[in-house]
Amino acid sequence: MADKIKVLLVDDDEDDFIITRDIMNDIPGRNYLLDWTSSFREALRLIKEGNHDVYLVDYRLGAHNGLELITTAVEEGASAPFILLTGQSDRETDEKAMHAGALDYLVKGTFNPFDLERSIRYSIEHAQSLAEIQKLNSELEERVEERTQELAEAIKKLEHTNRSLYRAKQEIHKALQKEKELHELKSRFVTIASHEFRTPLSTVLSSASLISKYKGLEDDDKRQKHVDRIKSAVTNLTTILNDFLSMSRIEEGKIYNLPTTFNLKAFTQEIVEEMQGFLKEGQQIDYRHLSAEESISIDKQLLKNILLNLLTNSSKYSGEGKPIQLSTVIADSSATITVQDYGIGIPKADQTHLFTPFFRAQNVTNIQGSGLGLNIVKKYVEIMSGTLEYESELNQGSTFTICLPNAAEA
């Protein structure tokens, strides 16, 4: 039998404890242990002990309130999730609860066993996701510490050698520069990962909560709308994680160029068909193969990743109904692939940094993305000994042209 979930209710009204206990007992198929305290100080002591999986905190606690308790507990290092119990449902209360550190809130007198079970389950899962991000942060800090140790060792070796002062300064400068870059990379990773994970997770949480309110057949359309939102959020999370994984494998030198011979036209048509489910309403990919020769020898998987990335960007940064043009041509011992859209374009000031990891142009900050896609595309092209060029005008669109050598004729 699975371990019981330990819940601590902090509420100065014993009647509310009895009501909450009865609701929790009606949850089917779940095992809970509910403890109760009415004291603000006693609650802080119990939270410090860390023996509970989740905390239900009433907004009103005598001379104090639930927001004070949550804020204090979080500042003292509490990691288990908090759910605020309040007598009113409004945006201000929601924002105050989230700002204090609560992962959800329930309106007293309105929630049922299903609502309580969902809130506890999603709060625990959300807390676990945030813990994973903190774990990644800790691992990056360990890498920084390792690099610092390496730097210290390098300095000691330099002090005991007869190398020239110029070479010593050069080595130290390079090590410090790498250290600075690693610090910046860690900071940008934590910022973007926290934001990009939190957004789809919040979408899943809110949509799942709303689905529970639509119980009649006449609400099918509303339910489907939120199911689609959850699917979209999961797809975004998968894309972000794949980008992080691809970047890690590239940095570790685990991506190799493995050419195979295949029909470029037929392969690209398959990619276009695969993209149909991801295009916005009214968007179409106009694909043309512009040469009689169709057979090419290049890395098939890397090319697929490149095409999916560029086509996804063209769709994401273009409006509904905007066409996307894709062409391939085999000539002069190479294959040339061109992707053109008529979307928002890239500001001139941002084009210098376009392929920098985690960089996002100033006109796309409100659009989901990790800032890794084009950096990964550029790395893949370099691994395949190819070239990547682009042209872009603000509010006019962008064109990316990739030229890859035919391995069969190398």
Side-chain angles (χ1 to χ4, degrees), residues 260-328:
T260 58
T261 301
F262 59 94
N263 187 299
L264 178 61
K265 179 180 178 181
F267 172 77
T268 307
Q269 287 173 333
E270 291 177 3
I271 298 295
V272 172
E273 292 175 4
E274 185 175 335
M275 280 293 303
Q276 295 305 309
F278 300 95
L279 299 177
K280 295 178 182 176
E281 185 175 350
Q283 289 183 341
Q284 288 187 344
I285 299 175
D286 177 19
Y287 170 56
R288 299 181 183 182
H289 184 71
L290 305 178
S291 63
E293 179 61 45
E294 298 180 359
S295 180
I296 190 73
S297 182
I298 53 180
D299 191 304
K300 197 173 183 178
Q301 186 59 48
L302 292 184
L303 177 60
K304 180 178 181 179
N305 293 340
I306 290 170
L307 284 172
L308 288 176
N309 201 304
L310 292 178
L311 291 172
T312 299
N313 280 354
S314 292
S315 173
K316 183 192 301 184
Y317 302 121
S318 298
E320 294 181 354
K322 292 285 187 179
I324 300 170
Q325 294 181 344
L326 169 64
S327 67
T328 55

Side-chain angles (χ1 to χ4, degrees), residues 34-244:
L34 178 63
D35 294 325
W36 169 57
T37 179
S38 60
S39 165
F40 183 91
R41 295 188 179 279
E42 176 70 8
L44 282 177
R45 184 186 68 78
L46 291 172
I47 293 171
K48 269 187 177 182
E49 292 178 358
N51 294 325
H52 295 87
D53 301 301
V54 64
Y55 304 103
L56 304 178
V57 181
D58 188 21
Y59 186 85
R60 301 295 181 186
L61 293 174
H64 302 277
N65 64 52
L67 296 180
E68 293 179 50
L69 176 66
I70 294 172
T71 300
T72 304
V74 171
E75 289 176 351
E76 292 180 354
S79 58
F82 291 88
I83 300 172
L84 184 69
L85 303 179
T86 177
Q88 56 186 350
S89 175
D90 56 63
R91 183 183 182 90
E92 182 179 359
T93 302
D94 185 6
E95 291 178 348
K96 286 182 178 179
M98 299 309 167
H99 181 73
L103 294 183
D104 199 3
Y105 80 99
L106 294 170
V107 180
K108 296 167 67 174
T110 67
F111 64 86
N112 55 36
F114 176 82
D115 295 328
L116 181 58
E117 186 276 337
R118 175 206 58 75
S119 182
I120 291 175
R121 175 161 47 86
Y122 275 83
S123 294
I124 291 175
E125 291 175 356
H126 196 170
Q128 290 172 344
S129 297
L130 293 178
E132 283 296 318
I133 294 175
Q134 293 171 353
K135 179 182 177 183
L136 289 173
N137 185 24
S138 297
E139 291 175 354
L140 283 171
E141 290 179 345
E142 288 179 6
R143 289 182 60 190
V144 171
E145 181 64 26
E146 290 174 1
R147 292 295 299 275
T148 302
Q149 293 292 337
E150 292 174 4
L151 176 60
E153 292 174 5
I155 294 175
K156 289 180 180 179
K157 288 180 180 179
L158 288 172
E159 289 174 346
H160 294 85
T161 63
N162 293 323
R163 296 175 184 174
S164 67
L165 179 62
Y166 173 79
R167 290 184 61 190
K169 288 182 177 180
Q170 287 295 100
E171 289 296 324
I172 294 174
H173 175 75
K174 288 179 181 179
L176 288 173
Q177 186 63 31
K178 288 181 179 179
E179 187 74 15
K180 179 181 178 182
E181 291 172 357
L182 189 58
H183 271 291
E184 292 175 351
L185 187 62
K186 185 206 76 170
S187 176
R188 286 155 69 188
F189 169 80
V190 172
T191 300
I192 290 178
S194 298
H195 177 269
E196 296 303 329
F197 286 166
R198 185 185 299 272
T199 300
L201 284 172
S202 297
T203 298
V204 170
L205 184 61
S206 63
S207 290
S209 178
L210 289 170
I211 285 175
S212 67
K213 301 180 185 299
Y214 301 132
K215 300 178 180 178
L217 293 175
E218 68 278 6
D219 295 325
D220 276 350
D221 290 343
K222 295 178 180 178
R223 278 195 295 269
Q224 187 59 45
K225 172 187 175 183
H226 290 290
V227 169
D228 291 340
R229 287 186 66 199
I230 290 174
K231 289 180 179 178
S232 177
V234 171
T235 299
N236 287 335
L237 273 175
T238 302
T239 300
I240 294 168
L241 291 172
N242 284 338
D243 283 347
F244 286 147

Side-chain angles (χ1 to χ4, degrees), residues 378-393:
K378 187 172 185 293
K379 295 290 187 182
Y380 283 164
V381 171
E382 291 173 351
I383 290 172
M384 300 167 73
S385 301
T387 60
L388 169 61
E389 298 178 353
Y390 72 94
E391 296 178 356
S392 186
E393 291 291 337

Side-chain angles (χ1 to χ4, degrees), residues 25 199 330 348:
N25 288 338
T199 300
I330 299 174
K348 291 292 184 185

Side-chain angles (χ1 to χ4, degrees), residues 332-349:
D332 300 327
S333 302
S334 65
T336 301
I337 300 102
T338 303
V339 178
Q340 181 178 8
D341 64 61
Y342 301 91
I344 61 177
I346 306 164
K348 291 292 184 185

